Amino acid sequence: MIKSALEIALERTKGIEVDKKSLAAHDKTEEGKRLTGRFLAGDLSSKELSEALTEAKDEEAEWLREGSFSVLAANLTLPQDDSYKERLERVREGLVAVTGQKKQVSYLFEQVEQFFEQYLENQEQLIQALEKQFAPRLRQREQEMERQFGQRVSLNPAQDPEFSKMLKQHLGKLEAQYSEALKQAKDQLRALFQSR
């Protein structure tokens, strides 16, 4: 007798039982993530997020909060430029809503903002130092190209493969150092979240 794919699948899953609690936890965690995504996109206010998180009771509330916290923590990343401030403020507001600990979260975020400013300053200083270090080499190449082509040539350090490689290497080290410190801040936020 030839069995259909459905019959074979039903036979294989016959002994498998659905853990309703795990399924509910997953669904509520995902709902918390979606709520927080809407909050970060500006579709919900921090008050609306807080209300949505407190509407649920007991375990469901914890699952919603866990989903929300995971999205907020994931959005706490090292800045690429000065435009991070608005996003950082939004994450702070969300974490206040999730933890209910405005004073502690705000204090920690003051430190994080100073830390981010320092990171961007160190990044800029590193770039300037490398450009200064490579300037004589770049001028030499410009002069060689001027002699070769008979016209003025202007090179950008970013066009130099050696400069780019060294910059990437140094920026990687800087990012690794700051990422470790950011991880510690996230751990402190996790402790605040769990202490609620």
Side-chain angles (χ1 to χ4, degrees), residues 27-158:
D27 288 347
K28 284 296 179 185
T29 302
E30 291 301 310
E31 185 180 336
K33 289 178 180 181
R34 283 190 300 276
L35 277 169
T36 305
R38 289 180 52 213
F39 165 74
L40 290 172
D43 296 339
L44 290 177
S45 69
S46 58
K47 183 180 179 192
E48 290 169 321
L49 176 64
S50 184
E51 288 170 356
L53 294 173
T54 55
E55 281 178 5
K57 300 295 176 219
D58 303 322
E59 288 179 323
E60 287 187 357
E62 286 305 309
W63 297 329
L64 276 172
R65 286 179 61 245
E66 180 60 45
S68 184
F69 180 84
S70 68
V71 169
L72 292 165
N75 275 275
L76 190 56
T77 58
L78 291 174
Q80 300 304 311
D81 54 40
D82 284 331
S83 67
Y84 75 91
K85 292 180 182 182
E86 186 178 318
R87 179 181 52 107
L88 184 65
E89 178 58 22
R90 201 77 177 145
V91 170
R92 185 195 67 75
E93 290 173 6
L95 285 165
V96 167
V98 171
T99 64
Q101 299 188 35
K102 183 176 183 174
K103 187 176 182 179
Q104 293 91 331
V105 170
S106 295
Y107 175 73
L108 186 56
F109 267 71
E110 285 176 22
Q111 294 175 334
V112 168
E113 188 168 356
Q114 291 173 0
F115 168 77
F116 282 1
E117 288 291 330
Q118 185 65 47
Y119 172 71
L120 290 174
E121 285 175 24
N122 286 351
Q123 198 177 42
E124 186 59 36
Q125 289 169 354
L126 185 116
I127 292 168
Q128 289 174 357
L130 279 176
E131 285 175 347
K132 189 175 181 180
Q133 180 183 340
F134 270 81
R137 222 178 294 177
L138 210 55
R139 278 195 299 277
Q140 182 182 2
R141 286 193 186 137
E142 285 174 344
Q143 290 170 353
E144 289 171 5
M145 292 177 82
E146 284 175 18
R147 281 192 296 273
Q148 185 179 357
F149 298 118
Q151 60 185 16
R152 184 162 172 76
V153 176
S154 180
L155 296 177
N156 184 334

